[in-house]
Amino acid sequence: ELRVPKEMIACVRRAGEGDKKVAVPRRSSPTVCVEFRGVVEAAGPFGIRRRVSAVAVTPDDEAGFVAAVKAA
């Protein structure tokens, strides 16, 4: 789980090969990368927490996801 204030979002863009900071789901290639203005704490499986500066994800509706993040 990751909750980030909108002020912390630097950009939302298409993911590239080097964007595998945190990928969800694990067995697919990320299509969208959300970069933050600083480091944030993300909760992973089994309660593991890690500090990340970007998140790469694979949303079902890529255009809808990007629009929702930009509109937030």
Side-chain angles (χ1 to χ4, degrees), residues 6-42:
K6 65 180 179 180
E7 300 82 29
M8 287 293 294
I9 297 174
C11 73
V12 181
R13 61 176 175 75
R14 252 187 152 353
E17 234 354 88
D19 289 326
K20 295 182 179 180
K21 311 256 191 306
V22 177
V24 179
R26 289 214 180 273
R27 292 195 169 96
S28 64
S29 296
T31 57
V32 177
C33 182
V34 181
E35 292 183 9
F36 308 122
R37 297 187 191 283
V39 178
V40 298
E41 190 171 280

Side-chain angles (χ1 to χ4, degrees), residues 28-70:
S28 64
S29 296
T31 57
V32 177
C33 182
V34 181
E35 292 183 9
F36 308 122
R37 297 187 191 283
V39 178
V40 298
E41 190 171 280
F46 310 109
I48 296 171
R49 302 187 85 62
R50 62 177 10 158
R51 296 173 57 79
V52 298
S53 59
V55 177
V57 297
T58 309
D60 290 335
D61 177 7
E62 184 177 325
F65 177 84
V66 170
V69 171
K70 288 182 175 182

